[in-house]
Amino acid sequence: MATVILGSGIIGCSTAFYLAQSRSTPPNSIHLVDPSPELFASASGKAGGFLARDGFSKATAELSALSFQLHAELAAKYDGEKAWGYSRTVRMAIVDQNADDASEKVHRLLAPGVSEAAARDAESSNFVSQQPTWLRGKKTTKLEMMSEEGTVAQVDPRRLSQFLLKKSLDLGVQLHHPAKALSISTDMRGELSSVRLLDTTTNAETDLPCTKLIITAGAWTPKVFKALFPDSPIRIPVHSMSGYSLLVKSPHWSTDQGQEGCHAISTSALGGVYLFGRMGGEIYVSGINSVSTPLPELATQADIDESSITELKQVAKDLLEETNEKYDIEVTRKALCFRPMTSSGEPILVRIPDGNLGKTKTRVGAEGGVYIATGNGPWGISQGLGMGKITAELVEGYPLSANVDRLGI
């Protein structure tokens, strides 16, 4: 009963990680498949890595709290602070003293990750004078506290994803990369029995035994599902949201300054820009999101618009540099990634009923099935460990660690 996971981002790797540690699934029967020449080339490597416990909808409240706990436990067990930059964090918002838009303030206060208590404090103008050492622009002197202690944190998502992959491979999970799933085959009973893979380096095709198929391909999930189940009467309601980001260096943020905690800062510039001071001396800057940017065939084929990079860098300069300073922030990486969104705003974590697979059937219970786990939008890293753990439990027929009844299609 081989398990094939299509998509090796944070949800795919965390699913493999938790499956490989169970008593029911031999690790060498778990296969991770990814077509991108570079792993973690989209959101799982280039997102912000902000983690939040509170402020989510009822549909994802338990999932989000579980995942936040799993992040903390994993970091404690494997020295996540050193291995992938796990750090406790303070979330703040820069106050535009010229703004008089009540709806903008409500949107900021009610955003996921903002606890009710923090929102109440912010509404009563609980301004914070203490600000990060790296936030030095003249318009950054007034900040609102947007989090309570112990409710937010952050990681470097690429390093966390790499850790999960390495641990999975060390346990015996098999990686097929770069490889593309072309089609599925069924046995004499019409039940899913294998997936045909194309090695995109050698062009060799192989049939990989498979009775349980998990699609964790992020924004590419609808395309993958349609290719494998062309007769399905449903479509996977996921679309992409693109977003630009920069990694920058500042002389006011060094590798040893994150020991006492890091900061996550938001501003209304460019429709919403976020800055995260990370462990290790990096500052992550993101913004300019769009649902109209075409999704490339592969994550590595993202077409970066240099004018958007220039705009984002200018906002970073305005916030990070003092007027009289003579240095220029150093950009060490520029990126465009694509996050999987749903029209409902809730992720999808579900077993697809056989009736929605077209002509294909699957083995009953924990012996088979086709599963979808994606659609977390900007919260894929925060909810990623919880998504992986619950997907593993769902596949194995175990009791679920959080209620995800509302996360169907």
Side-chain angles (χ1 to χ4, degrees), residues 63-105:
L63 165 67
S64 301
L66 169 67
S67 198
F68 191 80
Q69 177 184 339
L70 292 173
H71 275 288
E73 291 173 353
L74 195 71
K77 184 174 182 178
Y78 294 104
D79 192 9
E81 180 179 308
K82 180 179 180 181
W84 58 85
Y86 178 87
S87 64
R88 61 187 182 88
T89 299
V90 174
R91 180 177 181 177
M92 299 177 177
I94 297 172
V95 179
D96 184 350
Q97 300 181 54
N98 297 317
D100 189 26
D101 187 346
S103 64
E104 180 179 337
K105 183 173 183 179

Side-chain angles (χ1 to χ4, degrees), residues 109 113-123 126 145-148:
L109 296 180
V114 179
S115 68
E116 292 182 7
R120 287 194 301 270
D121 289 343
E123 285 179 327
N126 180 30
M145 176 69 77
M146 306 299 288
S147 65
E148 293 181 278

